[in-house]
Amino acid sequence: MMGFGLILTLLVVYWLVSSKGDNIFREQSSRRDPLDILKERYARGEISEEEYLEKKRVLLD
């Protein structure tokens, strides 16, 4: 009987982690501030300074 309770507990924990864990990561990625993303792209060299300043102006208007 004790083994059944342990198995049931492990299954519940697994279900909570697998179903809620995915949602947590999706929510965090969808909540990112566009200006922060723009700053990161500029810092990585993906966009030029001119592109950065223009996009920043558009976001802040």
Side-chain angles (χ1 to χ4, degrees):
M1 198 68 175
M2 192 170 168
F4 178 76
L6 178 62
I7 291 172
L8 183 61
T9 302
L10 291 174
L11 286 173
V12 169
V13 169
Y14 173 77
W15 177 77
L16 288 172
V17 170
S18 65
S19 65
K20 304 236 185 229
D22 289 344
N23 291 334
I24 290 169
F25 292 121
R26 281 189 209 121
E27 288 175 17
Q28 287 177 350
S29 65
S30 66
R31 290 185 187 170
R32 291 188 60 205
D33 182 44
L35 192 54
D36 288 338
I37 296 169
L38 182 63
K39 290 176 185 176
E40 290 173 10
R41 290 187 64 204
Y42 177 62
R44 286 192 300 260
E46 294 177 9
I47 58 175
S48 68
E49 182 178 3
E50 295 80 23
E51 287 176 298
Y52 169 75
L53 293 173
E54 175 62 23
K55 293 176 187 300
K56 181 179 174 183
R57 185 189 63 75
V58 169
L59 286 173
L60 296 177
D61 281 343

